[in-house]
Amino acid sequence: MKKIIYLFIATIAMAVVSCDNKFEEINVSPNESPVTDPNLLLSKTITTTQNTLYNMQVGGDMGLCWAQHMSKVQYNDEEKYIPRRALMNAVWTNLYASVINESKSTYELAGAKGNTNLQAASLVMEANAFQILTDVFGPIPFSEAITSGIDKPKFDSQEAVYDGILGLLTEADALFANGTGTITPSADLLYGGDVVKWRKFANSLKLKVLMRISGKRNVSTQVSALVSSGLLMTSNSDSAQLAYKASQPDANPIYETIVYSTRSEYKVSSILINSLTTINDPRKTVYAKVNDANAYVGNIPGVENPGNYNGFSSPGDLYLDPTLPGVILSYAQVELLLAEAANNAIIPGGNSAALTHYNNGITANMAFNGVSASAISTYLAQPSISFSTSIEGKSKIGTQVWLALYGQGIEAWTEWRRTKYPVLAPAANAAISQIPSRFYYSTDTQNTNQANYQSAVSTLSNGDSMLSKVWWMN
């Protein structure tokens, strides 16, 4: 196998602080994996992606708290926008050194075996990783990333990265269409070797990519083509999600932090509780537990209440279950993206089509959360849930996306940055004047690739700060 060199990625040495039990475990070794079975490499890209994003010191502190789904009654610096740079470094390192590097290795090894299906799956995971990176950092290495002989890759503009991501997903679909080779079921932690579902995932991820940039580009032709293809997700069984196991070290990282490591400072936010209560949303009893007074009470974002842990609602049992799936992309989110596309006239159908997709998305997410069919019907029948104008639709679709992404911290924060629904104010006692728009760049890339780092920073409106908007933000 041709060795893939990634010298530009430095190893991170993370110091463990007493109140940060186990957060160092999100780091993976950047040394090239000795595994030569490309199926096992694919498996590793899946677990590394989800373990990184679901780790509560990343997806919780800088995802769920920034999206104001959760709020911490103690140890809440990150909630007040004072992040630990080592955690941002870990996202950079894990996705480049492990996910992207090993996706490229999988592609090469599978190609040598003539296995186009496995090659296509590797491209999907690579595209997903690049999207996460560019969405949280902005301009990033893409065209020269993980390239033999280049240890100081240039940073591509976010527009160029998105073009590259779309190219990866287009190639993946073409490879799936050829349909040669198999994906080992035991190593495929998403679909158990089901190539048809992988192809739906590829095209549904492409839909998400296009809708994320729809405020900057006309994507109507491309989105309409995806809808016409019949290759998008059509049920919850198509959702791309990692099935976690019931015990350490393969349990969902939310459980590992809050339950196993007894980090009970994580509470549901007052913003989420109030939103769910206002619209009589049955997910409230799933997303949250009652407090010691048998009431649903959320903590105000940014406010510490260290002496009153039991006075606020903890996350619900489903979200503290070790087997809670790690969702990469759900059918519910796909339907809500299609609702937005119809509402914004990106695809035809107008209000009628928008409402159909909207109701499908809500129904799918509620079913995932164990809500009964009768409770779903009652909820959707409320006049306050429906909409009849595109302006009203924007607000209600955006709010339902926010609600559906509970538990998916980075994705919830990212979609909120794009839609700005619901309207959220910065956390109390915040260190900066707004909810962060991006991560700081990895300090490792600053040290090892200074010239290209400085060039990228010069394109950001407020430099390498959390105030600088990424390209697709309005």
Side-chain angles (χ1 to χ4, degrees), residues 1 30 48 62 82-83 187 212 239 244 258 262 273 316-317 322 327 343 364 382 431:
M1 166 179 121
T48 300
M62 298 183 294
I82 308 170
R212 189 146 293 163
S239 295
Y244 281 107
I258 298 177
T262 63
I273 291 293
D317 288 337
V327 179
N343 187 68
Q382 297 179 103

Side-chain angles (χ1 to χ4, degrees), residues 189-226:
L189 303 179
L190 297 182
Y191 295 119
D194 190 328
V195 173
V196 172
K197 291 188 183 297
W198 267 103
R199 192 176 184 189
K200 288 183 179 182
F201 176 27
N203 283 280
S204 297
L205 182 59
K206 190 174 185 179
L207 170 69
K208 188 182 85 167
V209 170
L210 290 166
M211 290 304 297
R212 189 146 293 163
I213 63 175
S214 61
K216 296 295 182 181
R217 288 184 180 174
N218 184 339
V219 298
S220 179
T221 299
Q222 292 162 288
V223 173
S224 295
L226 287 172

Side-chain angles (χ1 to χ4, degrees), residues 98-400:
S98 184
V99 178
I100 293 170
N101 177 60
E102 293 188 348
S103 290
K104 289 179 179 292
S105 294
T106 302
Y107 182 89
E108 184 178 312
L109 288 165
K113 299 175 181 290
N115 189 336
T116 65
N117 285 325
L118 187 54
Q119 282 188 301
S122 73
L123 290 174
V124 175
M125 294 308 300
E126 182 181 351
N128 184 63
F130 272 121
Q131 185 180 23
I132 295 164
L133 285 164
T134 195
D135 285 349
V136 300
F137 291 107
I140 58 169
F142 179 84
S143 59
E144 294 182 353
I146 320 296
T147 301
S148 179
I150 298 177
D151 60 356
K152 297 181 187 301
K154 70 176 182 180
F155 284 57
D156 296 280
S157 70
Q158 205 171 1
E159 299 97 314
V161 175
Y162 260 83
D163 286 337
I165 292 167
L166 290 168
L168 291 173
L169 294 171
T170 298
E171 182 184 355
D173 184 67
L175 289 169
F176 280 132
N178 287 336
T180 60
T182 60
I183 303 174
T184 301
S186 60
D188 179 1
L189 303 179
L190 297 182
Y191 295 119
D194 190 328
V195 173
V196 172
K197 291 188 183 297
W198 267 103
R199 192 176 184 189
K200 288 183 179 182
F201 176 27
N203 283 280
S204 297
L205 182 59
K206 190 174 185 179
L207 170 69
K208 188 182 85 167
V209 170
L210 290 166
M211 290 304 297
R212 189 146 293 163
I213 63 175
S214 61
K216 296 295 182 181
R217 288 184 180 174
N218 184 339
V219 298
S220 179
T221 299
Q222 292 162 288
V223 173
S224 295
L226 287 172
V227 173
S228 298
S229 73
L231 293 171
L232 297 176
M233 294 177 181
T234 56
S235 72
N236 278 350
S237 67
D238 292 332
S239 295
Q241 54 191 37
L242 170 61
Y244 281 107
K245 297 183 180 179
S247 60
Q248 300 282 102
D250 300 316
N252 187 296
I254 298 175
Y255 160 86
E256 290 182 350
T257 297
I258 298 177
V259 180
Y260 186 82
S261 297
T262 63
R263 297 295 301 272
S264 55
E265 69 267 23
Y266 291 94
K267 304 298 180 183
V268 179
S269 85
S270 60
I271 307 300
L272 182 63
I273 291 293
N274 293 343
S275 297
L276 293 167
T277 301
T278 298
I279 56 177
N280 301 308
D281 197 307
R283 286 170 291 192
K284 182 170 72 174
T285 61
V286 182
Y287 288 177
K289 299 181 183 180
V290 293
N291 67 358
D292 57 358
N294 202 37
Y296 291 97
V297 179
N299 191 59
I300 297 172
V303 175
E304 285 194 271
N305 286 286
N308 192 22
Y309 272 46
N310 294 328
F312 299 95
S313 294
S314 298
D317 288 337
L318 176 65
Y319 287 85
L320 298 181
D321 190 314
T323 64
L324 174 73
V327 179
I328 301 178
L329 181 63
S330 68
Y331 163 62
Q333 187 175 3
V334 169
E335 283 289 345
L336 289 168
L337 287 169
L338 291 172
E340 179 187 353
N343 187 68
N344 294 351
I346 293 171
I347 58 175
N351 182 253
S352 176
L355 280 171
T356 297
H357 290 301
Y358 172 78
N359 289 338
N360 287 345
I362 294 171
T363 299
N365 182 254
M366 288 193 172
F368 171 84
N369 282 287
V371 178
S372 69
S374 60
I376 296 171
S377 295
T378 299
Y379 178 76
L380 293 176
Q382 297 179 103
S384 60
I385 299 303
S386 188
F387 56 88
S388 58
T389 68
S390 62
I391 293 176
E392 187 183 15
K394 283 184 179 181
S395 172
K396 292 190 175 180
I397 294 167
T399 298
Q400 287 295 334

